Amino acid sequence: MTELGTASRLGAALVAEGAISPEQLEQLLAEQRTSGRMLGELLIERGMIDSPRMLRFLAQQLGVPFCQLRHGLVDFSLLSLVGEDEARRLAAIPMFKVHDTLTVAMAEPQSLPKIDRLHQLTGCRIRPVLAPRENILEYVKKFASGNTDVDSFLASLSESEVEVVEKESVDEGPATNLDRMVEGSPIINLVNVALLTAIKDKASDIHVEPDKQGTRVRYRIDGVLRDLMKPPPGLHAAIVSRIKVIGRMDIAEKRLPQEGRVRIVAEGREIDLRVSSMPTLLGEKIVLRILDKANLRIRLEDLGFRRQTLETFQRMLHQPYGLVLVTGPTGSGKTTTLYSALDLIRSPEKNIVTVEDPVEYQLDLINQIQVHEAIGMTFARALRSILRQDPDIIMVGEIRDEETARVAVQAALTGHLVLATLHTNDAPGAVARLLDMGIEPYLLASAMNGVIAQRLARKVCPHCAAKYIPAPSVLEDAGLLDRPGRPFRKGAGCKECHNSGCRGRAGVYAVMEVTSEVRRMIHRAAPTHEIRELLHHKGVLTLREEGVLLALDGQTCLEEVLAVTHSEDTSMPPEGQKAGSGEAATVGGGSA
């Protein structure tokens, strides 16, 4: 305490709580006036109150939160904003940052000069939190020395501490706030560290895998798995149990796969997690899929379509009825493309219904249905029910079987615009896939408006981008042998991109619009290669050719384009095919 008035208020609160008597308070205040020491120090020194209780009383009087620092509550990278010397002098350590607000643990959160100094050093709005001085200085020393390894932190804990798995009530509310989990076992903090780090780094998934040496935790950034942490042996069962508890799953069932979901609050926003468990020989593997709306680009213009392909796609979407398919492998962004399409065409005048497995993001003005096969709510059954609800537009998360395909085609033929995803290698392949499912050619020819094939290619990191000359074999695969010596862009690797040279991903899209000629070929069940030849003759670019244009534009590198696409033909597009910027580009190497 630094002010007598604050000390008096604190003393009065302690008297009201019965912690000390009025006579004891008078004696302590008199001693404080002569010695200049803090009231709290005198109380603790005389054993009248313990330190945690004293600090909670003080936080109450100051109107600030109180916390005991634990591993996982402090982002060690933020210490550089203040510096070790200033952190020691101010007895303050940054905990986490949300937008322009920095939450700081302080021994004296009532000190305006110290708050002003922190604001001057960081340029952020300061949100003070009271913490014990010794606790703050311990973490300043730990982080300044680089001792932030989770393994060494947990290895120092006793066995009884790490076995605790705290259960949560299902009635606590729709969201679990990670920032408020200041108490609990180290396992809880370890899981929180993994979640917060993955969310901060914009990861899409977290993999918790059993290993002969213990547990391996990895996360997927821009489609590539990277090591996140490796906890010491003996913690795998506790980590899995903690994740299953927050995912509302059965922690006693270890022999069968399970699925769960949880909504958390992290970085100041709500984030959905999909949890999946799978038994393996060494133990259960857990995968958490992170659905962060902050990473969702909902406008079609933001997805990376070239102008020509975007105009074609929009033309398909503005048809009054018909079937529009989006194809590609798992994780290629098909659902995001469909959400963006719905965002373009949704309005209060239209009844839009989706059937998904799972519902990834909730959208306004759209009725979304979750598939639940365990109770018989399949795609086909949901579709039939939707057709009785007078829909204008229907989105099907995935066409998996003949029954779903048949209902979708019938809906498209009866005046509904149907959007759906399908697993095929390229756009023309979608026709053969539906025919193989048993759809009659004449029905498919009448129903289909168009198909989009897509992939996600990693973009060049802007912080370490450099020019390079691709190898001749790479130019040959890309159909660019006529451009030897032309420089391309590639990331050299830096801290910002985890030394990968890539940061973020761009969509690669090939659009097949069903014109009258294509419709006639579908009607006679023409082979896929004949449809490809017709599209090539009409100047429609394949996936690989679209990707090469991205590389020529400097957004990605040629090796990345070749990695996410593959060539089934060696056709060359017509001379003068326009790239996105209007420049002529002759690109070879068809894609599937």
Side-chain angles (χ1 to χ4, degrees):
M1 301 294 294
T2 58
E3 296 181 3
L4 189 60
T6 307
S8 300
R9 290 196 301 273
L10 174 62
L14 290 169
V15 170
E17 289 289 330
I20 58 175
S21 67
E23 293 76 17
Q24 288 174 320
L25 175 61
E26 287 298 327
Q27 293 174 1
L28 289 168
L29 289 176
E31 184 176 346
Q32 185 195 21
R33 282 190 288 268
T34 58
S35 66
R37 298 178 64 189
M38 299 181 187
L39 177 62
E41 289 179 1
L42 296 173
L43 284 163
I44 295 169
E45 186 180 284
R46 282 164 172 68
M48 296 179 177
I49 190 171
D50 59 26
S51 179
R53 190 180 179 194
M54 179 72 246
L55 288 170
R56 284 189 173 87
F57 268 114
L58 182 57
Q60 222 171 24
Q61 294 304 304
L62 296 175
V64 299
F66 165 75
C67 79
Q68 185 83 22
L69 296 181
R70 291 176 177 268
H71 195 86
L73 293 178
V74 180
D75 184 346
F76 70 90
S77 64
L78 296 175
L79 182 60
S80 61
L81 295 177
V82 177
E84 179 185 358
D85 293 338
E86 283 291 275
R88 290 182 186 281
R89 188 182 69 81
L90 300 171
I93 185 170
M95 295 176 65
F96 51 86
K97 182 181 176 184
V98 179
H99 303 302
D100 63 342
T101 300
L102 184 67
T103 298
V104 182
M106 303 179 65
E108 297 180 41
Q110 77 279 17
S111 173
L112 294 179
K114 291 186 176 183
I115 291 176
D116 289 341
R117 177 59 177 160
L118 287 167
H119 173 69
Q120 181 183 6
L121 289 169
T122 64
C124 300
R125 293 176 61 245
I126 303 301
R127 177 183 175 231
V129 172
L130 177 64
R133 182 183 298 272
E134 297 77 12
N135 196 203
I136 292 172
L137 296 179
E138 173 195 351
Y139 272 77
V140 170
K141 179 180 178 181
K142 179 186 297 185
F143 291 156
S145 64
N147 183 21
T148 59
D149 183 58
V150 174
D151 297 2
S152 60
F153 177 81
L154 290 175
S156 65
L157 301 171
S158 68
E159 184 179 350
S160 61
E161 287 178 303
V162 299
E163 284 182 350
V164 177
V165 180
E166 180 182 319
K167 291 188 177 182
E168 296 176 349
S169 169
V170 295
D171 298 323
E172 285 180 349
T176 301
N177 193 327
L178 290 185
D179 297 334
R180 294 179 183 174
M181 286 184 177
V182 295
E183 295 185 2
S185 77
I187 296 299
I188 293 177
N189 290 331
L190 184 147
V191 173
N192 293 347
V193 169
L195 289 172
L196 290 169
T197 305
I199 291 166
K200 181 178 177 182
D201 290 346
K202 295 182 171 55
S204 59
D205 306 272
I206 303 175
H207 294 244
V208 182
E209 303 165 319
D211 191 89
K212 288 183 179 179
Q213 284 74 40
T215 304
R216 180 175 56 200
V217 182
R218 300 186 290 171
Y219 60 167
R220 191 181 297 277
I221 301 176
D222 296 335
V224 178
L225 281 171
R226 308 179 191 280
D227 286 330
L228 175 57
M229 63 175 67
K230 192 170 179 61
L235 300 185
H236 184 76
I239 295 171
V240 168
S241 294
R242 172 60 188 168
I243 296 173
K244 290 171 77 172
V245 164
I246 66 173
R248 313 291 186 240
M249 299 157 71
D250 184 358
I251 62 173
E253 180 56 73
K254 305 178 187 297
R255 300 167 300 171
L256 295 173
Q258 294 188 63
E259 293 184 359
R261 61 182 297 176
V262 62
R263 179 174 297 171
I264 64 173
V265 177
E267 296 281 314
R269 60 184 184 274
E270 287 192 358
I271 295 166
D272 286 327
L273 303 176
R274 299 283 189 271
V275 188
S276 171
S277 70
M278 177 70 69
T280 71
L281 286 176
L282 298 177
E284 288 184 277
K285 175 180 177 178
I286 297 281
V287 176
L288 299 99
R289 187 173 187 189
I290 302 170
L291 302 174
D292 187 354
K293 286 186 177 180
N295 299 333
L296 178 64
R297 290 176 293 180
I298 200 69
R299 296 177 65 250
L300 274 177
E301 294 82 357
D302 298 334
L303 296 184
F305 280 92
R306 291 192 306 111
R307 181 174 55 82
Q308 293 92 332
T309 53
L310 179 60
E311 289 174 355
T312 303
F313 187 25
Q314 290 174 331
R315 191 161 56 245
M316 290 154 45
L317 293 174
H318 285 107
Q319 298 296 323
Y321 57 85
L323 178 64
V324 178
L325 296 173
V326 180
T327 72
T330 301
S332 59
K334 300 186 298 296
T335 302
T336 299
T337 300
L338 287 181
Y339 282 163
S340 301
L342 291 178
D343 179 66
L344 175 70
I345 57 182
R346 64 179 171 174
S347 73
E349 291 80 25
K350 294 179 180 177
N351 178 20
I352 303 177
V353 187
T354 75
V355 51
E356 308 170 57
D357 184 23
V359 175
E360 296 191 1
Y361 298 100
Q362 296 180 16
L363 305 176
D364 295 332
L365 296 176
I366 295 176
N367 305 287
Q368 296 172 271
I369 300 172
Q370 170 78 48
V371 167
H372 197 340
E373 294 189 357
I375 61 173
M377 177 63 86
T378 62
F379 276 107
R381 184 170 182 176
L383 267 175
R384 290 194 183 92
S385 298
I386 289 171
L387 291 174
R388 302 187 192 103
Q389 294 274 316
D390 186 32
D392 298 299
I393 300 167
I394 303 171
M395 186 193 103
V396 184
E398 183 182 345
I399 295 179
R400 299 175 178 173
D401 50 48
E402 178 184 351
E403 186 180 13
T404 306
R406 193 168 294 281
V407 177
V409 168
Q410 290 292 345
L413 290 171
T414 53
H416 306 89
L417 181 62
V418 180
L419 313 180
T421 71
L422 191 67
H423 285 287
T424 64
N425 286 332
D426 65 354
V431 175
R433 178 82 175 102
L434 289 173
L435 293 177
D436 287 342
M437 284 184 176
I439 305 300
E440 291 79 2
Y442 69 92
L443 292 178
L444 187 59
S446 301
M448 187 174 283
N449 287 350
V451 184
I452 297 174
Q454 71 176 72
R455 300 290 189 275
L456 292 177
R458 292 184 298 166
K459 297 165 67 175
V460 175
C461 174
H463 300 280
C464 60
K467 292 183 179 180
Y468 82 109
I469 306 296
S473 59
V474 174
L475 292 173
E476 181 180 4
D477 289 343
L480 296 174
L481 279 177
D482 59 334
R483 304 191 185 200
R486 185 196 189 283
F488 286 78
R489 292 178 80 234
K490 189 175 187 178
C494 64
K495 180 181 177 182
E496 296 292 333
C497 62
H498 301 276
N499 293 314
S500 67
C502 303
R503 187 174 185 184
R505 290 192 287 181
V508 183
Y509 304 93
V511 180
M512 180 187 82
E513 186 177 17
V514 178
T515 62
S516 57
E517 293 173 279
V518 174
R519 205 175 297 280
R520 284 194 293 270
M521 296 187 76
I522 297 174
H523 190 276
R524 64 179 178 85
T528 302
H529 71 271
E530 291 187 14
I531 299 178
R532 286 199 190 100
E533 290 173 2
L534 173 66
L535 294 175
H536 165 67
H537 180 70
K538 294 296 183 182
V540 178
L541 297 186
T542 61
L543 266 173
R544 175 158 293 183
E545 292 162 354
E546 291 277 1
V548 169
L549 289 180
L550 282 180
L552 288 168
D553 195 37
Q555 296 187 49
T556 186
C557 62
L558 279 179
E559 289 83 356
E560 178 68 14
V561 170
L562 299 181
V564 300
T565 65
H566 67 274
S567 177
E568 286 193 355
D569 58 24
T570 56
S571 59
M572 300 289 290
E575 293 293 333
Q577 170 68 44
K578 299 294 183 180
S581 61
E583 295 293 329
T586 303
V587 184
S591 166

